[in-house]
Amino acid sequence: MNVIAKTNIVIITVIIATLTNTTLCAQPKPSRKAQRLYNEALADFHNNDLNNAILRVNDCLATDSCYIDARLLKADILTSLKQFKDAAVTNINTAAIDTTRVSLYLNAGRQFMRCGEYNSAADAFNNYLNHVKVKSKRQYADSLRNACIIAQKFVDSKYEITNIYFDSLINTNNDEFINALSSDETTLFFTRRHSVRGFANEDIMLAKREDINDNQFDITESINDLLTLEGNEGAVTLSPDGSIMFFTACGREDGMGSCDLYYSKRLSEHRWSTPKNLGPSVNSKYWESQPCMSSDGRTLFFSSNRPGGYGEEDIWFTRLNDDGTFSEAENIGNHINTEFKELSPFIHFDGVTLYFSSDRPNGLGGLDLWMINLQYDTVATNLGYPINDFSDQMNFVVSPSGKRGYISTVNGLSDNYDIMSFDIPEVVKPVPTVCKPGVVIDASTGNPISDVRIDLTEYNDGTINGIVSNSDEYGQFIVCLKTSGSYGITVVAPDYMFYSALIEHDTDSIVVRMQPFEIGKPMIINNVQFEYDSYELKSESFPELNRIVKMMKDNATLSFDICGHTDNAGEDSYNQKLSEKRAQTVYDYLVRMGIPASRLTYKGFGATKPIASNESEEGRSLNRRTEIIPR
């Protein structure tokens, strides 16, 4: 049944009920029986016995349908039962009987909004506006009416979401809230809220599957058991390589406020380190929660109600410093935060698409999900209907590819928050991303090299973005790359030669083979690039050269010969001059950045020292190179 048809049924029902009640209601005082039933219904309502309360109040109104107080009580009971449409109709009928109670039209409008009956809600607000003259009241009602008009436009322009799944292994008769998805999409992290001795308690859970094409997960387990936590913990996020877990814990002895952000390091598959508070640069004496780590492992987003924001709760962020500490938390700004609530940030694996919840105006009611591209957008976009509806939408997690979404939503069958997954419509997709596993090994022995920093540089549309990862105890790491981007990788490790390479998108994994440091052995710096047939550096070369600068400043005894090489296309004399000019350009840059000239030399070799055949473009590309040779 379409929205217009539903609205017409509601209006007709209200008109019939209004005419009937207006005709019959002339009795000024309720009967004794009606008063007794009303008092019994009121007592049940106060005792939260809603089922008995609605039965008694209906008996009361069957005895005396004109009993205004009983009608008002019925609307309150129906609202508590979340039967908002029936509550709204009851209020409108009551307002028709007692014309002095115009505020009931306002109540009815808000109740219609809470069940998605936006046209009926707008009609109710119009009725209210027809009866009130106070400017502030009219402005408030008019804002609600306009909100209904906007919400109805979302409904009228709805898009389809397909392949919807509720996983019976994850969802229970408790509330479940989605938090994070591992970069390989095999592990889902979520929070389960349950009752402990009458108090709400939250635990961190994970669900695992072997096949990412399987929408159902195979096992679930409690992270709280692995962390030996016994309090109220939830809202988990992980570093890209899965080695560090960030989460929210409330009421702990080492806490700084009501809820704080903590971290724990993975010790083994089933063991984590003792949680540590992120400290005063991140936490405050107020509420911090809902962390989300960016795919480069450098920026942690979270929600807080601390002072210095724009509304009730704002989105904040902190950056990971090179020494492992976190920077002073900063507000993300008023292009995202408003005077209303901004909650549950999720930064996609693309590093630029931020999803979050907000109850700001121009939504569909309650908390809606919004998105913004941090690189290009200045205004957030509502995700629209049916991802958003009249109830609260709290969390949105998207797979690296952008094809699959996970959301926490109220399941109409259980009235609890459950986790639902579905194929994401094109209009709300992020930048497509692929996460690749990698490993750092010793080229001579094949042994893994642990705790090595991996620097990736994205070259795209003239912008340069740095991505940082670290190898774990097995030398393994994960990096997430936009499928449209171009990337270079650089690794610097003690006792090893400088490693530099371009990332090929068609490779399933990245193998970094580190050559042991050796005087006189050339190191190719692949990510130093020049303009065509020129010795002018491309902008993407500077991150690589800056790493060489840092390496030389960190190792004061290190000196290099800089060597330029070309392929064999063109005259030998021209190639010789071009290669020398390119080597000199690198030399000049390093000197300009503070490296003493005495620690550097430069020379061009033209096409005289090829490392591949010049018979193919691939070979010629390899021969066009810049090398540094330690001495």
Side-chain angles (χ1 to χ4, degrees):
M1 185 181 294
N2 62 37
V3 173
I4 295 174
K6 286 182 179 178
T7 303
N8 289 338
I9 289 174
V10 172
I11 294 171
I12 293 168
T13 303
V14 171
I15 291 171
I16 293 172
T18 302
L19 292 173
T20 302
N21 288 321
T22 304
T23 303
L24 296 177
C25 288
Q27 187 175 337
K29 186 178 179 180
S31 67
R32 287 186 179 181
K33 180 180 179 182
Q35 287 179 337
R36 175 177 57 80
L37 290 169
Y38 169 79
N39 290 332
E40 291 172 352
L42 185 62
D44 287 336
F45 180 58
H46 287 159
N47 291 327
N48 203 34
D49 187 355
L50 301 179
N51 291 327
N52 266 332
I54 195 66
L55 291 174
R56 292 185 192 279
V57 80
N58 281 337
D59 287 344
C60 172
L61 289 170
T63 302
D64 186 347
S65 63
C66 299
Y67 195 166
I68 298 298
D69 286 346
R71 286 177 167 274
L72 298 175
L73 177 60
K74 180 178 180 179
D76 289 342
I77 296 169
L78 290 169
T79 300
S80 297
L81 287 167
K82 298 184 178 180
Q83 297 177 21
F84 301 116
K85 184 175 177 179
D86 290 340
V89 171
T90 300
N91 275 325
I92 289 177
N93 288 341
T94 305
I97 296 170
D98 186 347
T99 56
T100 65
R101 298 182 182 271
V102 295
S103 64
L104 294 180
Y105 289 117
L106 190 66
N107 293 348
R110 288 187 294 223
Q111 287 156 342
F112 276 133
M113 288 183 75
R114 294 182 70 180
C115 61
E117 298 281 353
Y118 300 113
N119 284 332
S120 296
D123 289 340
F125 293 134
N126 278 328
N127 267 326
Y128 179 76
L129 287 165
N130 288 336
H131 289 86
V132 295
K133 304 297 181 185
V134 179
K135 183 178 179 180
S136 59
K137 292 181 177 180
R138 290 186 61 83
Q139 287 176 335
Y140 176 63
D142 193 51
S143 68
L144 291 176
R145 180 182 61 179
N146 290 335
C148 290
I149 294 170
I150 291 169
Q152 189 60 50
K153 287 180 179 178
F154 279 120
V155 174
D156 292 340
S157 58
K158 67 174 289 188
Y159 46 78
E160 295 298 323
I161 56 175
T162 57
N163 298 326
I164 300 170
Y165 295 92
F166 285 92
D167 193 312
S168 58
L169 189 65
I170 294 175
N171 296 314
T172 66
N173 57 359
N174 298 299
D175 289 328
E176 280 82 25
F177 300 95
I178 177 70
N179 295 144
L181 182 69
S182 65
S183 55
D184 63 1
E185 301 184 44
T186 61
T187 307
L188 191 74
F189 298 88
F190 63 100
T191 300
R192 177 170 289 157
R193 179 188 293 160
H194 57 99
S195 178
V196 176
R197 295 184 292 275
F199 294 94
N201 191 70
E202 295 182 348
D203 286 340
I204 303 169
M205 307 291 295
L206 63 82
K208 291 184 176 180
R209 62 184 173 191
E210 291 188 6
D211 184 359
I212 65 171
N213 296 312
D214 185 357
N215 289 295
Q216 306 297 306
F217 286 81
D218 303 320
I219 62 170
T220 60
E221 59 183 318
S222 170
I223 293 288
N224 285 52
D225 295 340
L226 304 182
L227 291 170
T228 62
L229 297 174
E230 297 179 353
N232 192 0
E233 294 84 24
V236 64
T237 184
L238 273 78
S239 60
D241 58 7
S243 64
I244 305 176
M245 179 192 305
F246 301 88
F247 61 94
T248 306
C250 304
R252 289 176 62 93
E253 289 185 2
D254 59 346
M256 303 179 65
S258 59
C259 293
D260 280 7
L261 301 183
Y262 288 76
Y263 74 94
S264 177
K265 294 185 177 181
R266 186 190 293 274
L267 302 177
S268 65
E269 184 178 358
H270 292 289
R271 235 168 39 91
W272 293 81
S273 68
T274 302
K276 292 186 178 180
N277 192 297
L278 260 65
S281 63
V282 178
N283 292 312
S284 70
K285 65 179 180 179
Y286 297 90
W287 173 86
E288 280 80 36
S289 187
Q290 302 170 343
C292 181
M293 176 58 80
S294 61
S295 62
D296 63 2
R298 306 299 290 180
T299 306
L300 186 70
F301 298 87
F302 63 96
S303 294
S304 177
N305 63 355
R306 67 179 69 190
Y310 296 90
E312 298 176 57
E313 287 92 12
D314 274 12
I315 294 173
W316 296 70
F317 70 93
T318 176
R319 298 192 190 279
L320 182 63
N321 299 317
D322 288 340
D323 63 1
T325 62
F326 279 92
S327 67
E328 197 73 27
E330 298 179 51
N331 191 290
I332 201 169
N334 60 2
H335 62 299
I336 292 175
N337 292 319
T338 67
E339 62 185 291
F340 300 90
K341 293 180 180 179
E342 276 72 42
L343 298 165
S344 61
F346 173 75
I347 184 72
H348 184 253
F349 297 88
D350 64 11
V352 294
T353 306
L354 181 73
Y355 298 93
F356 61 95
S357 296
S358 177
D359 62 352
R360 66 184 64 186
N362 301 331
L364 283 99
L367 288 164
D368 276 11
L369 291 167
W370 300 71
M371 67 183 290
I372 187 169
N373 185 303
L374 298 176
Q375 207 167 19
Y376 302 115
D377 296 341
T378 56
V379 179
T381 301
N382 189 292
L383 264 58
Y385 185 84
I387 291 180
N388 290 318
D389 61 23
F390 51 85
S391 61
D392 286 343
Q393 280 69 48
M394 290 290 292
N395 307 75
F396 193 48
V397 171
V398 182
S399 65
S401 65
K403 295 178 180 179
R404 194 88 187 143
Y406 300 80
I407 187 176
S408 298
T409 187
V410 175
N411 187 333
L413 299 177
S414 64
D415 207 28
N416 294 317
Y417 277 95
D418 281 346
I419 295 171
M420 176 181 78
S421 65
F422 53 89
D423 292 344
I424 299 181
E426 288 293 331
V427 291
V428 297
K429 279 185 177 179
V431 179
T433 304
V434 59
C435 294
K436 294 180 181 289
V439 64
V440 184
I441 60 173
D442 184 303
S444 300
T445 66
N447 293 331
I449 305 175
S450 63
D451 198 26
V452 172
R453 172 171 163 150
I454 295 97
D455 284 282
L456 272 86
T457 304
E458 177 192 3
Y459 315 121
N460 200 30
D461 298 330
T463 61
I464 302 172
N465 300 304
I467 301 172
V468 178
S469 186
N470 283 84
S471 62
D472 64 14
E473 59 183 312
Y474 306 107
Q476 297 174 341
F477 63 92
I478 293 176
V479 291
C480 297
L481 316 172
K482 299 173 194 173
T483 56
S484 60
S486 175
Y487 294 86
I489 183 172
T490 304
V491 182
V492 180
D495 303 321
Y496 287 93
M497 306 281 277
F498 187 90
Y499 179 90
S500 172
L502 296 173
I503 299 294
E504 300 294 335
H505 274 289
D506 56 358
T507 59
D508 294 328
S509 61
I510 302 167
V511 180
V512 177
R513 294 180 173 86
M514 301 292 290
Q515 297 286 347
F517 188 85
E518 185 179 334
I519 296 294
K521 188 169 185 177
M523 294 185 285
I524 301 174
I525 45 177
N526 287 301
N527 298 326
V528 170
Q529 304 286 324
F530 296 90
E531 297 293 343
Y532 176 73
D533 203 23
S534 167
Y535 52 88
E536 180 183 349
L537 285 166
K538 288 186 175 180
S539 59
E540 52 260 46
S541 303
F542 298 123
E544 189 89 322
L545 292 173
N546 290 337
R547 293 185 189 106
I548 296 173
V549 170
K550 184 178 186 308
M551 180 175 63
M552 296 191 73
K553 287 183 176 180
D554 291 343
N555 299 272
T557 61
L558 197 58
S559 298
F560 285 118
D561 295 327
I562 303 166
C563 304
H565 301 273
T566 67
D567 58 26
N568 67 349
E571 297 292 331
D572 289 345
S573 59
Y574 179 83
N575 287 335
Q576 172 62 35
K577 182 178 180 181
L578 179 62
S579 66
E580 186 162 334
K581 282 288 189 182
R582 285 179 171 180
Q584 182 181 355
T585 299
V586 173
Y587 169 91
D588 290 342
Y589 183 85
L590 297 180
V591 171
R592 193 162 62 248
M593 298 303 291
I595 304 301
S598 60
R599 296 170 60 190
L600 298 167
T601 67
Y602 67 89
K603 188 174 182 179
F605 292 90
T608 62
K609 293 189 175 184
I611 58 174
S613 169
N614 278 304
E615 297 304 311
S616 68
E617 176 52 39
E618 182 180 359
R620 288 191 294 273
S621 177
L622 292 172
N623 290 331
R624 297 189 296 268
R625 68 196 188 279
T626 302
E627 296 174 339
I628 53 176
I629 304 175
R631 55 181 170 87

